Amino acid sequence: MYTIFVLGLDDVNSETLNKLPHASNYRFRPLLSFEELVEPDEIDLPGLLDKAQRQLESADDRIDAIIGYWDFPTSSMVPILCERFGLPTTSLEAVVKCEHKYWSRLEQQKVVDEHPRFDLVDLEGTPEPPPGMRFPMWLKPVKSYSSDLAFKVADRQEFDAAVEAIRAGIGKVGAAFDHVLEFVDLPREIAEVGGQACLAEEAVSGKQVTVEGHVYHGQVRVHGVIDSINYAGTSSFLRYQYPSALPERVTSRLIDVSERVLEQIGLDGSTFNIEYFWDPDSDEVNLLEINPRLSQSHSRLFEAVDGVPNHQCMVRLALGQEPGLPHRQGRYEVAGKFFLRRFSDGLVRRVPTAAELEEVRREFPDATVTIIPKEGDRLSDLPGQDSYSFELADVFIGARDEQELTATYEGVVDALHFAFDS
């Protein structure tokens, strides 16, 4: 019996963890709360680390592993706490090399060419677009999450507006990220940049796709390739779909790039997901970002198609054991996670009732719906939103093919009734 402490354990992931093969051999214990790690008004990283350490030191159970599946600060806290308690983990330096967007780009360009042109933007004085970079471009902090403060800018006016927004909000995550950087022996160019800098990247286009897997004893193993499909004309996700519909020669190239980059960064003993664009017209591949953790959004997709969620790899790695996932042993041929969104702010006047959701479950047994806001919420106050839209519901669906998948989603949406005041 292994006792595993989970940072920010929530109901959805608790259910997933307790359905794993051999779950009867695991005791999952919460470590800090979801609200402290995912929804804080301010990230007090030293305070979170101290509180987590006190909870672990006072625990009645032995400590066999510490895991976390949330973005920063959880992603950085896992290796720090594991090192303190002598548990298997990847290195904090490798995690930071993935999460510091500028450092990550510097490492990537040492071994691959499949990335967009990039450079820093000085937020002091009157910031200028980097020399030689063309519009449109993306401006983003070197550390953020859920696309917060990431802006696609088409001209100088939009560039200046994005700079002002980033200046105003960069400290919320950046100040805590600066504290993480104190734990790492940084190269001079990263020490000078710090955790509150702004990165510009030339915009790239094509089909967005994610390679997900793990690294164990230096060997990269890919679990699957997942398509990311946007709402038309936007950068906001409509759905993730597994398995990918890309040609095998393209997915093989993506896996090759992933292996070279992860070896360069030194990520080991960790799950990962790496986002890419592939342009079918030019056949150009561009790496977007590396996340040194599993994607929760893909967990039910793997479970539906392959038979086991990707959480299994996270748990086994944390115990120092070799991971493994079955292949195509699930109930469905294809699965998707859909994001029902609203593209303007509003005050939530009505959400689907419990009776309505129960009716959806009866009519669409292959779908699972999670409502995001509550009545009375202002959409712009919800945590973890991108810069252009607001999530109303997550809808997981398993199906025989893509046609059945999208038809089921359309039926679910028709049955979900929201109302808003502008």
Side-chain angles (χ1 to χ4, degrees):
M1 177 66 71
Y2 298 102
T3 302
I4 301 168
F5 286 82
V6 188
L7 283 160
L9 183 63
D10 62 316
D11 291 342
V12 171
N13 284 283
S14 177
E15 179 182 348
T16 300
L17 289 166
N18 282 292
K19 290 193 300 183
L20 293 177
H22 313 298
S24 59
N25 295 334
Y26 305 140
R27 284 192 298 261
F28 295 105
R29 298 287 183 259
L31 179 60
L32 303 183
S33 68
F34 171 87
E35 291 74 19
E36 289 173 297
L37 291 166
V38 184
E39 297 182 339
D41 294 328
E42 181 178 347
I43 302 173
D44 175 15
L45 192 70
L48 290 171
L49 287 169
D50 289 346
K51 185 173 181 179
Q53 182 160 343
R54 290 196 303 271
Q55 287 186 15
L56 290 165
E57 290 173 342
S58 62
D60 293 333
D61 293 314
R62 71 183 190 187
I63 305 168
D64 293 305
I66 301 170
I67 61 174
Y69 35 74
W70 303 110
D71 202 338
F72 186 82
T74 300
S75 51
S76 292
M77 292 176 65
V78 169
I80 293 172
L81 292 169
C82 285
E83 184 176 345
R84 290 181 180 180
F85 286 85
L87 300 171
T89 185
T90 191
S91 74
L92 178 63
E93 178 178 317
V95 168
V96 173
K97 281 183 179 179
C98 294
E99 296 204 315
H100 192 292
K101 297 182 189 298
Y102 182 59
W103 196 0
S104 185
R105 289 298 190 201
L106 294 179
E107 292 298 310
Q108 293 165 33
Q109 72 176 3
K110 294 176 182 178
V111 291
V112 300
D113 297 321
E114 289 86 349
H115 58 77
R117 189 177 303 178
F118 66 95
D119 206 345
L120 293 171
V121 173
D122 187 354
L123 293 178
E124 300 298 324
T126 304
E128 299 286 339
M133 287 190 65
R134 300 166 297 182
F135 291 108
M137 66 180 69
W138 281 91
L139 294 187
K140 58 188 76 171
V142 295
K143 180 57 199 163
S144 62
Y145 49 73
S146 300
S147 299
D148 186 37
L149 296 180
F151 298 97
K152 188 177 184 181
V153 298
D155 53 35
R156 182 55 190 263
Q157 183 177 358
E158 292 184 358
F159 177 92
D160 291 341
V163 164
E164 288 306 311
I166 291 170
R167 274 176 173 164
I170 198 169
K172 179 178 180 180
V173 174
F177 194 50
D178 271 331
H179 185 73
V180 170
L181 297 183
E182 295 175 6
F183 289 88
V184 180
D185 185 13
L186 301 173
R188 178 182 55 80
E189 63 268 33
I190 302 303
E192 291 175 352
V193 168
Q196 300 189 59
C198 178
L199 184 68
E201 298 177 344
E202 281 192 358
V204 293
S205 61
K207 295 181 180 294
Q208 192 165 349
V209 62
T210 301
V211 174
E212 175 143 349
H214 71 269
V215 190
Y216 178 70
H217 289 180
Q219 297 297 309
V220 178
R221 294 288 182 265
V222 171
H223 310 151
V225 181
I226 301 94
D227 290 335
S228 298
I229 299 164
N230 290 353
Y231 282 84
T234 79
S235 59
S236 298
F237 293 129
L238 167 62
R239 73 179 184 272
Y240 300 138
Q241 184 170 314
Y242 178 64
S244 171
L246 265 61
E248 184 178 353
R249 65 173 182 82
V250 177
T251 58
S252 296
R253 182 179 173 192
L254 297 175
I255 292 169
D256 174 65
V257 172
S258 301
E259 290 173 346
R260 285 186 281 152
V261 168
L262 291 170
E263 181 179 353
Q264 171 64 30
I265 286 174
L267 191 73
D268 198 5
S270 175
T271 54
F272 68 85
N273 68 91
I274 307 179
E275 300 173 36
Y276 292 91
F277 267 122
W278 170 64
D279 188 329
D281 296 325
S282 65
D283 203 30
E284 185 176 67
V285 165
N286 279 285
L287 192 157
L288 298 184
E289 67 178 30
I290 306 168
N291 298 301
R293 55 180 171 79
L294 62 77
S295 170
Q296 299 172 66
S297 292
H298 299 160
S299 297
R300 292 185 182 181
L301 309 186
F302 283 113
E303 182 179 11
V305 176
D306 291 333
V308 176
N310 53 0
H311 286 55
Q312 173 168 293
C313 294
M314 172 183 63
V315 168
R316 291 183 63 86
L317 284 168
L319 292 169
Q321 301 170 355
E322 183 171 4
L325 283 180
H327 185 69
R328 305 297 189 264
Q329 295 182 26
R331 293 178 54 197
Y332 303 97
E333 298 298 317
V334 62
K337 178 184 180 181
F338 291 78
F339 302 87
L340 178 60
R341 299 181 185 272
R342 177 180 165 94
F343 286 84
S344 60
D345 198 5
L347 191 67
V348 182
R349 185 160 53 84
R350 184 190 194 280
V351 298
T353 65
E356 290 169 343
L357 291 173
E358 182 58 36
E359 179 60 30
V360 169
R361 280 190 285 271
R362 285 196 295 268
E363 187 173 354
F364 304 100
D366 299 318
T368 303
V369 179
T370 302
I371 303 300
I372 305 300
K374 302 183 294 295
E375 286 186 15
D377 283 347
R378 179 161 294 283
L379 294 177
S380 56
D381 292 336
L382 297 175
Q385 305 300 306
D386 68 27
S387 298
Y388 299 102
S389 68
F390 308 97
E391 274 186 71
L392 304 182
D394 293 341
V395 185
F396 288 92
I397 300 171
R400 289 172 296 183
D401 53 36
E402 184 174 323
Q403 182 177 359
E404 183 179 82
L405 186 76
T406 55
T408 301
Y409 176 67
E410 290 167 2
V412 170
V413 170
D414 288 343
L416 298 178
H417 304 297
F418 292 85
F420 307 92
D421 290 328
S422 298

